[in-house]
Amino acid sequence: DFPDAALGPFGSSWAPFWRGWADEDPVEVFYSEFLLAQWVLDHAPWNAYHSGLGFVNNRTGAKAMFDFAPEDTSSVMKIVIPGIKMRSFWEAFLGEFEIEWSNGAVTNFYQFWPSNFQSFVKLGRLNGAIMRRF
């Protein structure tokens, strides 16, 4: 049994197969994104987007979405810039330091297209058999 679609996201373990998608079903694949954050640096805009892969079964109308999301969403900077561990600036200058990334992430699976995804670009077509391999 699969949980109600309105409860998503689900871990990627729900993704290998869902009811109603037959091998011969025509499936379209979409790249999707939405604006996550926006800054202005040196008078130039800098946009950060979140993206996902969307799938629509053209026989049934069923949709699915996969996205890759950070575990810690408290700051975009944790995803972009690593932490540096060093005992002193001199030792760091000599290469004695450690880089620590705080960018752990998970793949989420939705049995619908979340409403925050606003832009969709069609990437291609496949069938239900290929979809289940994904």
Side-chain angles (χ1 to χ4, degrees), residues 41-91:
L41 301 173
D42 293 328
H43 305 290
W46 175 336
N47 298 328
Y49 291 89
H50 182 71
S51 60
L53 279 179
F55 300 86
V56 61
N57 183 322
N58 288 332
R59 179 182 65 85
T60 67
K63 294 180 178 180
M65 174 75 71
F66 293 85
D67 73 355
F68 192 64
E71 292 174 348
D72 182 355
T73 58
S74 63
S75 170
V76 172
M77 297 311 287
K78 289 183 181 182
I79 300 166
V80 179
I81 300 174
I84 306 295
K85 289 184 172 182
M86 59 185 169
R87 290 187 291 254
S88 71
F89 285 112
W90 179 248
E91 286 186 21

CSV table of all heavy atoms in Angstrom, one decimal, residues 41-91:
chain,number,residue,atom,x,y,z
A,41,LEU,N,24.0,41.2,-5.0
A,41,LEU,CA,25.4,41.3,-4.7
A,41,LEU,C,26.1,42.2,-5.8
A,41,LEU,O,26.0,41.9,-6.9
A,41,LEU,CB,26.1,40.0,-4.7
A,41,LEU,CG,25.5,39.0,-3.7
A,41,LEU,CD1,26.2,37.6,-3.9
A,41,LEU,CD2,25.7,39.4,-2.3
A,42,ASP,N,26.7,43.3,-5.3
A,42,ASP,CA,27.3,44.2,-6.2
A,42,ASP,C,26.4,44.7,-7.3
A,42,ASP,O,26.7,44.7,-8.5
A,42,ASP,CB,28.6,43.6,-6.8
A,42,ASP,CG,29.7,43.4,-5.8
A,42,ASP,OD1,29.7,44.2,-4.8
A,42,ASP,OD2,30.5,42.4,-5.9
A,43,HIS,N,25.2,45.0,-6.9
A,43,HIS,CA,24.1,45.5,-7.8
A,43,HIS,C,23.7,44.5,-8.9
A,43,HIS,O,23.1,44.8,-9.9
A,43,HIS,CB,24.6,46.8,-8.5
A,43,HIS,CG,25.0,47.8,-7.6
A,43,HIS,ND1,24.2,48.5,-6.7
A,43,HIS,CD2,26.3,48.3,-7.3
A,43,HIS,CE1,24.8,49.3,-6.0
A,43,HIS,NE2,26.1,49.2,-6.3
A,44,ALA,N,24.0,43.2,-8.6
A,44,ALA,CA,23.6,42.2,-9.6
A,44,ALA,C,22.7,41.1,-8.8
A,44,ALA,O,23.1,40.7,-7.7
A,44,ALA,CB,24.8,41.5,-10.2
A,45,PRO,N,21.6,40.7,-9.4
A,45,PRO,CA,20.8,39.7,-8.7
A,45,PRO,C,21.4,38.3,-8.7
A,45,PRO,O,22.1,37.9,-9.7
A,45,PRO,CB,19.5,39.7,-9.5
A,45,PRO,CG,19.9,40.2,-10.9
A,45,PRO,CD,21.0,41.1,-10.7
A,46,TRP,N,21.3,37.6,-7.7
A,46,TRP,CA,21.8,36.2,-7.5
A,46,TRP,C,20.6,35.4,-7.1
A,46,TRP,O,20.0,35.6,-6.0
A,46,TRP,CB,22.9,36.1,-6.6
A,46,TRP,CG,23.4,34.7,-6.3
A,46,TRP,CD1,22.7,33.6,-6.4
A,46,TRP,CD2,24.7,34.3,-5.8
A,46,TRP,NE1,23.4,32.5,-6.1
A,46,TRP,CE2,24.7,32.9,-5.7
A,46,TRP,CE3,25.8,35.0,-5.4
A,46,TRP,CZ2,25.7,32.2,-5.2
A,46,TRP,CZ3,26.9,34.3,-5.0
A,46,TRP,CH2,26.9,32.9,-4.9
A,47,ASN,N,20.1,34.5,-7.9
A,47,ASN,CA,19.0,33.6,-7.6
A,47,ASN,C,19.4,32.2,-7.3
A,47,ASN,O,20.3,31.7,-7.9
A,47,ASN,CB,18.0,33.6,-8.8
A,47,ASN,CG,17.5,34.9,-9.1
A,47,ASN,OD1,17.3,35.8,-8.2
A,47,ASN,ND2,17.2,35.2,-10.4
A,48,ALA,N,18.8,31.6,-6.3
A,48,ALA,CA,19.0,30.2,-5.9
A,48,ALA,C,17.7,29.5,-6.2
A,48,ALA,O,16.6,29.9,-5.8
A,48,ALA,CB,19.4,30.1,-4.5
A,49,TYR,N,17.7,28.4,-7.0
A,49,TYR,CA,16.6,27.6,-7.4
A,49,TYR,C,16.6,26.2,-6.8
A,49,TYR,O,17.7,25.7,-6.5
A,49,TYR,CB,16.5,27.5,-8.9
A,49,TYR,CG,16.2,28.8,-9.6
A,49,TYR,CD1,17.2,29.7,-10.0
A,49,TYR,CD2,14.9,29.2,-9.8
A,49,TYR,CE1,17.0,30.9,-10.6
A,49,TYR,CE2,14.6,30.4,-10.5
A,49,TYR,CZ,15.6,31.2,-10.9
A,49,TYR,OH,15.4,32.4,-11.5
A,50,HIS,N,15.4,25.7,-6.5
A,50,HIS,CA,15.3,24.3,-6.2
A,50,HIS,C,14.7,23.6,-7.4
A,50,HIS,O,13.8,24.1,-8.0
A,50,HIS,CB,14.4,24.1,-4.9
A,50,HIS,CG,14.3,22.7,-4.5
A,50,HIS,ND1,15.4,22.0,-3.9
A,50,HIS,CD2,13.3,21.8,-4.6
A,50,HIS,CE1,15.0,20.8,-3.7
A,50,HIS,NE2,13.7,20.6,-4.1
A,51,SER,N,15.2,22.4,-7.7
A,51,SER,CA,14.7,21.7,-8.9
A,51,SER,C,14.3,20.3,-8.6
A,51,SER,O,14.6,19.7,-7.6
A,51,SER,CB,15.8,21.8,-10.0
A,51,SER,OG,16.9,21.1,-9.6
A,52,GLY,N,13.6,19.7,-9.6
A,52,GLY,CA,13.2,18.3,-9.5
A,52,GLY,C,12.9,17.8,-10.8
A,52,GLY,O,12.9,18.5,-11.8
A,53,LEU,N,12.7,16.5,-10.9
A,53,LEU,CA,12.3,15.8,-12.1
A,53,LEU,C,10.9,15.4,-12.0
A,53,LEU,O,10.5,14.6,-11.0
A,53,LEU,CB,13.2,14.6,-12.4
A,53,LEU,CG,14.5,14.8,-13.0
A,53,LEU,CD1,15.3,13.5,-13.2
A,53,LEU,CD2,14.4,15.5,-14.3
A,54,GLY,N,10.0,15.8,-12.9
A,54,GLY,CA,8.6,15.5,-12.9
A,54,GLY,C,8.3,14.5,-14.0
A,54,GLY,O,8.9,14.5,-15.0
A,55,PHE,N,7.3,13.6,-13.7
A,55,PHE,CA,6.9,12.6,-14.6
A,55,PHE,C,5.4,12.6,-14.7
A,55,PHE,O,4.7,12.7,-13.6
A,55,PHE,CB,7.4,11.2,-14.2
A,55,PHE,CG,8.9,11.1,-14.1
A,55,PHE,CD1,9.5,11.4,-13.0
A,55,PHE,CD2,9.6,10.6,-15.2
A,55,PHE,CE1,10.9,11.3,-12.9
A,55,PHE,CE2,11.0,10.5,-15.1
A,55,PHE,CZ,11.6,10.9,-13.9
A,56,VAL,N,4.8,12.5,-15.9
A,56,VAL,CA,3.4,12.4,-16.0
A,56,VAL,C,3.0,11.2,-16.9
A,56,VAL,O,3.6,11.0,-18.0
A,56,VAL,CB,2.7,13.7,-16.6
A,56,VAL,CG1,3.2,14.0,-17.9
A,56,VAL,CG2,1.2,13.6,-16.5
A,57,ASN,N,2.1,10.3,-16.4
A,57,ASN,CA,1.7,9.2,-17.2
A,57,ASN,C,0.5,9.7,-18.1
A,57,ASN,O,-0.5,10.1,-17.6
A,57,ASN,CB,1.2,8.1,-16.2
A,57,ASN,CG,0.7,6.9,-16.9
A,57,ASN,OD1,0.1,6.9,-17.9
A,57,ASN,ND2,1.0,5.7,-16.3
A,58,ASN,N,0.8,9.7,-19.4
A,58,ASN,CA,-0.2,10.3,-20.3
A,58,ASN,C,-1.5,9.4,-20.5
A,58,ASN,O,-2.5,9.8,-21.0
A,58,ASN,CB,0.4,10.6,-21.6
A,58,ASN,CG,1.3,11.8,-21.6
A,58,ASN,OD1,1.1,12.7,-20.7
A,58,ASN,ND2,2.3,11.8,-22.4
A,59,ARG,N,-1.4,8.1,-20.0
A,59,ARG,CA,-2.6,7.2,-20.1
A,59,ARG,C,-3.5,7.5,-18.9
A,59,ARG,O,-4.7,7.6,-19.1
A,59,ARG,CB,-2.2,5.8,-20.1
A,59,ARG,CG,-3.4,4.8,-20.2
A,59,ARG,CD,-3.0,3.4,-20.2
A,59,ARG,NE,-2.4,3.0,-18.9
A,59,ARG,CZ,-3.0,2.6,-17.8
A,59,ARG,NH1,-4.4,2.6,-17.8
A,59,ARG,NH2,-2.4,2.2,-16.8
A,60,THR,N,-2.9,7.6,-17.7
A,60,THR,CA,-3.7,7.7,-16.5
A,60,THR,C,-3.8,9.1,-16.0
A,60,THR,O,-4.7,9.4,-15.2
A,60,THR,CB,-3.2,6.8,-15.4
A,60,THR,OG1,-1.9,7.4,-15.0
A,60,THR,CG2,-3.0,5.4,-15.8
A,61,GLY,N,-2.9,10.0,-16.4
A,61,GLY,CA,-2.9,11.4,-15.8
A,61,GLY,C,-2.1,11.4,-14.5
A,61,GLY,O,-1.9,12.5,-13.9
A,62,ALA,N,-1.6,10.3,-14.0
A,62,ALA,CA,-0.9,10.3,-12.7
A,62,ALA,C,0.4,11.0,-12.9
A,62,ALA,O,1.0,11.0,-13.9
A,62,ALA,CB,-0.7,8.8,-12.3
A,63,LYS,N,0.9,11.6,-11.8
A,63,LYS,CA,2.1,12.4,-11.8
A,63,LYS,C,3.0,11.9,-10.7
A,63,LYS,O,2.5,11.4,-9.7
A,63,LYS,CB,1.9,13.9,-11.6
A,63,LYS,CG,1.1,14.5,-12.8
A,63,LYS,CD,0.9,16.0,-12.6
A,63,LYS,CE,0.2,16.6,-13.8
A,63,LYS,NZ,0.0,18.0,-13.6
A,64,ALA,N,4.3,12.1,-10.9
A,64,ALA,CA,5.3,11.8,-9.8
A,64,ALA,C,6.4,12.9,-9.9
A,64,ALA,O,6.6,13.4,-11.0
A,64,ALA,CB,5.9,10.4,-10.0
A,65,MET,N,7.0,13.2,-8.8
A,65,MET,CA,8.1,14.2,-8.7
A,65,MET,C,9.2,13.6,-7.8
A,65,MET,O,8.9,13.1,-6.8
A,65,MET,CB,7.6,15.5,-8.2
A,65,MET,CG,8.6,16.6,-8.0
A,65,MET,SD,9.2,17.3,-9.5
A,65,MET,CE,7.8,18.3,-10.0
A,66,PHE,N,10.4,13.8,-8.3
A,66,PHE,CA,11.6,13.5,-7.4
A,66,PHE,C,12.4,14.8,-7.3
A,66,PHE,O,12.6,15.5,-8.2
A,66,PHE,CB,12.5,12.5,-8.1
A,66,PHE,CG,11.9,11.1,-8.3
A,66,PHE,CD1,11.1,10.8,-9.4
A,66,PHE,CD2,12.2,10.1,-7.3
A,66,PHE,CE1,10.6,9.5,-9.5
A,66,PHE,CE2,11.6,8.8,-7.5
A,66,PHE,CZ,10.8,8.5,-8.6
A,67,ASP,N,12.8,15.0,-6.1
A,67,ASP,CA,13.7,16.1,-5.8
A,67,ASP,C,14.8,15.7,-4.9
A,67,ASP,O,14.7,14.7,-4.2
A,67,ASP,CB,13.0,17.4,-5.4
A,67,ASP,CG,12.5,17.4,-4.0
A,67,ASP,OD1,12.6,16.4,-3.3
A,67,ASP,OD2,12.0,18.4,-3.5
A,68,PHE,N,15.9,16.5,-4.9
A,68,PHE,CA,17.0,16.2,-4.0
A,68,PHE,C,17.1,17.4,-3.1
A,68,PHE,O,17.3,18.5,-3.5
A,68,PHE,CB,18.3,16.1,-4.9
A,68,PHE,CG,19.5,15.6,-4.2
A,68,PHE,CD1,19.5,14.3,-3.7
A,68,PHE,CD2,20.6,16.4,-4.1
A,68,PHE,CE1,20.7,13.8,-3.1
A,68,PHE,CE2,21.8,15.9,-3.5
A,68,PHE,CZ,21.8,14.6,-3.0
A,69,ALA,N,16.9,17.2,-1.8
A,69,ALA,CA,16.7,18.3,-0.8
A,69,ALA,C,17.8,18.2,0.3
A,69,ALA,O,18.0,17.1,0.8
A,69,ALA,CB,15.3,18.3,-0.3
A,70,PRO,N,18.3,19.3,0.8
A,70,PRO,CA,19.2,19.3,1.9
A,70,PRO,C,18.5,18.8,3.2
A,70,PRO,O,17.4,19.1,3.4
A,70,PRO,CB,19.7,20.8,2.0
A,70,PRO,CG,18.6,21.6,1.3
A,70,PRO,CD,18.0,20.7,0.3
A,71,GLU,N,19.3,18.2,4.0
A,71,GLU,CA,18.8,17.7,5.3
A,71,GLU,C,18.7,18.9,6.2
A,71,GLU,O,17.8,19.0,7.0
A,71,GLU,CB,19.7,16.7,5.9
A,71,GLU,CG,19.7,15.4,5.2
A,71,GLU,CD,20.7,14.4,5.7
A,71,GLU,OE1,21.6,14.8,6.5
A,71,GLU,OE2,20.6,13.2,5.3
A,72,ASP,N,19.6,19.9,6.1
A,72,ASP,CA,19.6,21.1,7.0
A,72,ASP,C,19.2,22.3,6.1
A,72,ASP,O,20.0,22.7,5.3
A,72,ASP,CB,20.9,21.3,7.7
A,72,ASP,CG,21.0,22.5,8.6
A,72,ASP,OD1,20.0,23.2,8.7
A,72,ASP,OD2,22.0,22.6,9.3
A,73,THR,N,18.1,22.8,6.3
A,73,THR,CA,17.6,23.9,5.5
A,73,THR,C,17.7,25.3,6.2
A,73,THR,O,17.2,26.3,5.7
A,73,THR,CB,16.2,23.7,5.0
A,73,THR,OG1,15.3,23.6,6.2
A,73,THR,CG2,16.0,22.5,4.2
A,74,SER,N,18.5,25.3,7.3
A,74,SER,CA,18.5,26.6,8.1
A,74,SER,C,19.3,27.7,7.4
A,74,SER,O,19.1,28.9,7.7
A,74,SER,CB,19.1,26.3,9.5
A,74,SER,OG,20.5,25.8,9.3
A,75,SER,N,20.2,27.3,6.4
A,75,SER,CA,20.9,28.3,5.7
A,75,SER,C,21.4,27.8,4.4
A,75,SER,O,22.0,26.7,4.3
A,75,SER,CB,22.2,28.8,6.6
A,75,SER,OG,23.0,29.6,5.8
A,76,VAL,N,21.2,28.6,3.3
A,76,VAL,CA,21.7,28.2,2.0
A,76,VAL,C,23.2,28.1,2.0
A,76,VAL,O,23.8,27.3,1.3
A,76,VAL,CB,21.2,29.2,0.9
A,76,VAL,CG1,21.9,28.9,-0.4
A,76,VAL,CG2,19.7,29.1,0.8
A,77,MET,N,23.9,29.0,2.8
A,77,MET,CA,25.3,29.0,2.9
A,77,MET,C,25.9,27.7,3.3
A,77,MET,O,27.0,27.3,2.9
A,77,MET,CB,25.8,30.2,3.8
A,77,MET,CG,25.4,31.5,3.2
A,77,MET,SD,25.7,31.8,1.5
A,77,MET,CE,27.5,32.0,1.6
A,78,LYS,N,25.3,26.9,4.2
A,78,LYS,CA,25.8,25.6,4.6
A,78,LYS,C,25.9,24.7,3.4
A,78,LYS,O,26.7,23.8,3.4
A,78,LYS,CB,24.9,25.0,5.7
A,78,LYS,CG,25.0,25.7,7.0
A,78,LYS,CD,24.1,25.0,8.0
A,78,LYS,CE,24.2,25.7,9.3
A,78,LYS,NZ,23.4,25.0,10.3
A,79,ILE,N,25.1,24.9,2.4
A,79,ILE,CA,25.1,24.0,1.2
A,79,ILE,C,26.1,24.4,0.3
A,79,ILE,O,26.7,23.6,-0.4
A,79,ILE,CB,23.7,24.0,0.6
A,79,ILE,CG1,22.6,23.6,1.5
A,79,ILE,CG2,23.7,23.2,-0.7
A,79,ILE,CD1,21.2,23.9,1.1
A,80,VAL,N,26.5,25.7,0.2
A,80,VAL,CA,27.4,26.2,-0.8
A,80,VAL,C,28.8,26.3,-0.3
A,80,VAL,O,29.7,26.1,-1.0
A,80,VAL,CB,26.9,27.7,-1.2
A,80,VAL,CG1,27.8,28.3,-2.2
A,80,VAL,CG2,25.5,27.6,-1.7
A,81,ILE,N,29.0,26.7,1.0
A,81,ILE,CA,30.3,26.9,1.5
A,81,ILE,C,30.7,26.0,2.6
A,81,ILE,O,29.9,25.9,3.6
A,81,ILE,CB,30.4,28.4,2.0
A,81,ILE,CG1,30.2,29.4,0.9
A,81,ILE,CG2,31.8,28.6,2.6
A,81,ILE,CD1,30.1,30.8,1.3
A,82,PRO,N,31.8,25.2,2.5
A,82,PRO,CA,32.2,24.3,3.6
A,82,PRO,C,32.7,25.0,4.8
A,82,PRO,O,33.1,26.2,4.7
A,82,PRO,CB,33.3,23.5,2.9
A,82,PRO,CG,33.9,24.4,2.0
A,82,PRO,CD,32.8,25.3,1.5
A,83,GLY,N,32.7,24.3,5.9
A,83,GLY,CA,33.4,24.8,7.1
A,83,GLY,C,34.9,24.5,7.1
A,83,GLY,O,35.2,23.4,6.5
A,84,ILE,N,35.7,25.3,7.6
A,84,ILE,CA,37.1,25.0,7.6
A,84,ILE,C,37.6,24.9,9.1
A,84,ILE,O,37.3,25.8,9.9
A,84,ILE,CB,37.9,26.2,7.0
A,84,ILE,CG1,37.4,26.5,5.6
A,84,ILE,CG2,39.4,25.9,7.0
A,84,ILE,CD1,37.6,25.4,4.6
A,85,LYS,N,38.2,23.7,9.4
A,85,LYS,CA,38.7,23.5,10.7
A,85,LYS,C,40.2,23.6,10.7
A,85,LYS,O,40.9,23.0,9.9
A,85,LYS,CB,38.4,22.1,11.2
A,85,LYS,CG,36.9,21.9,11.5
A,85,LYS,CD,36.7,20.5,12.1
A,85,LYS,CE,35.3,20.3,12.6
A,85,LYS,NZ,35.1,18.9,13.1
A,86,MET,N,40.7,24.5,11.5
A,86,MET,CA,42.2,24.8,11.6
A,86,MET,C,42.6,25.1,13.0
A,86,MET,O,41.8,25.7,13.7
A,86,MET,CB,42.6,25.8,10.6
A,86,MET,CG,41.9,27.2,10.8
A,86,MET,SD,42.3,28.3,9.6
A,86,MET,CE,41.2,29.6,9.9
A,87,ARG,N,43.8,24.8,13.3
A,87,ARG,CA,44.3,25.1,14.7
A,87,ARG,C,44.9,26.6,14.7
A,87,ARG,O,44.8,27.3,15.6
A,87,ARG,CB,45.4,24.2,15.1
A,87,ARG,CG,44.9,22.8,15.4
A,87,ARG,CD,46.0,21.9,16.0
A,87,ARG,NE,46.9,21.6,14.9
A,87,ARG,CZ,47.0,20.4,14.4
A,87,ARG,NH1,46.2,19.4,14.7
A,87,ARG,NH2,47.9,20.1,13.4
A,88,SER,N,45.5,27.0,13.5
A,88,SER,CA,46.0,28.4,13.4
A,88,SER,C,46.0,28.8,12.0
A,88,SER,O,46.0,27.9,11.1
A,88,SER,CB,47.4,28.5,14.0
A,88,SER,OG,48.3,27.8,13.1
A,89,PHE,N,46.0,30.1,11.7
A,89,PHE,CA,46.1,30.6,10.3
A,89,PHE,C,47.4,30.1,9.7
A,89,PHE,O,47.4,29.8,8.5
A,89,PHE,CB,45.9,32.1,10.3
A,89,PHE,CG,44.5,32.5,10.5
A,89,PHE,CD1,44.2,33.2,11.7
A,89,PHE,CD2,43.5,32.3,9.6
A,89,PHE,CE1,42.9,33.6,11.9
A,89,PHE,CE2,42.2,32.7,9.8
A,89,PHE,CZ,41.9,33.3,11.0
A,90,TRP,N,48.5,30.1,10.4
A,90,TRP,CA,49.8,29.7,9.9
A,90,TRP,C,49.7,28.3,9.4
A,90,TRP,O,50.2,28.0,8.3
A,90,TRP,CB,50.9,29.9,10.9
A,90,TRP,CG,52.2,29.5,10.4
A,90,TRP,CD1,52.9,28.5,10.9
A,90,TRP,CD2,53.0,30.1,9.4
A,90,TRP,NE1,54.1,28.4,10.2
A,90,TRP,CE2,54.1,29.4,9.2
A,90,TRP,CE3,52.8,31.2,8.6
A,90,TRP,CZ2,55.1,29.7,8.3
A,90,TRP,CZ3,53.7,31.5,7.6
A,90,TRP,CH2,54.9,30.8,7.5
A,91,GLU,N,49.2,27.4,10.2
A,91,GLU,CA,49.1,26.0,9.8
A,91,GLU,C,48.1,25.8,8.6
A,91,GLU,O,48.4,25.0,7.7
A,91,GLU,CB,48.6,25.1,11.0
A,91,GLU,CG,49.7,24.9,12.0
A,91,GLU,CD,49.3,23.9,13.1
A,91,GLU,OE1,48.3,23.1,12.8
A,91,GLU,OE2,49.9,23.9,14.2
